[in-house]
Amino acid sequence: QVQVAESGGGLMQPGGSLRLSCVASRSIFSINVMGWYRQAPGKQRELVASITSSGSTNYADFVKGRFTISRDYRQNTVYLQMNSLEPEDTAVYYCNAYYVSGTYWGQGTGVTVSS
């Protein structure tokens, strides 16, 4: 079993930056894939970015060039650096861990992009 906890959300003006953190309860090298998803009001949850245990990354088209997923294995933490934020990025951002025993979600952290 894996527990994940997100932090780092908040209110930001358009064009600004935020960094989200996701701390896992076990070594992230043991987790097949860790990802960031988001869910805007009235919309379905969607993949933002993911990183495999081998370090391969994948991004949704709408964040390519703006967001970067990275990890710190010493801290069992995966980050989502979000630059050039747009109002359309407003959503609750969830961390996801795809592990051998199942898929685990955090509680989410809210991001609001508004002037």
Side-chain angles (χ1 to χ4, degrees):
Q1 190 172 357
V2 180
Q3 294 178 329
V4 292
E6 308 94 336
S7 63
L11 174 64
M12 180 56 63
Q13 292 184 341
S17 299
L18 282 173
R19 189 178 78 161
L20 306 183
S21 300
C22 172
V23 180
S25 61
R26 63 187 309 128
S27 170
I28 58 177
F29 284 140
S30 70
I31 301 172
N32 295 353
V33 184
M34 291 195 70
W36 286 98
Y37 288 72
R38 71 185 188 185
Q39 187 166 17
K43 295 187 177 181
Q44 290 188 335
R45 193 172 297 188
E46 59 186 356
L47 174 69
V48 176
S50 63
I51 185 166
T52 69
S53 56
S54 63
S56 297
T57 58
N58 180 52
Y59 294 93
D61 287 343
F62 53 78
V63 301
K64 284 183 179 177
R66 300 190 298 126
F67 292 8
T68 303
I69 190 170
S70 62
R71 61 186 181 176
D72 182 342
Y73 69 90
R74 297 183 186 88
Q75 302 294 327
N76 292 336
T77 300
V78 173
Y79 301 101
L80 184 68
Q81 178 67 43
M82 306 187 295
N83 299 328
S84 301
L85 284 164
E86 303 169 352
E88 293 74 22
D89 296 319
T90 295
V92 178
Y93 284 71
Y94 296 91
C95 181
N96 171 276
Y98 177 63
Y99 187 57
V100 62
S101 61
T103 299
Y104 302 89
W105 294 91
Q107 294 297 310
T109 184
V111 172
T112 301
V113 184
S114 175
S115 55

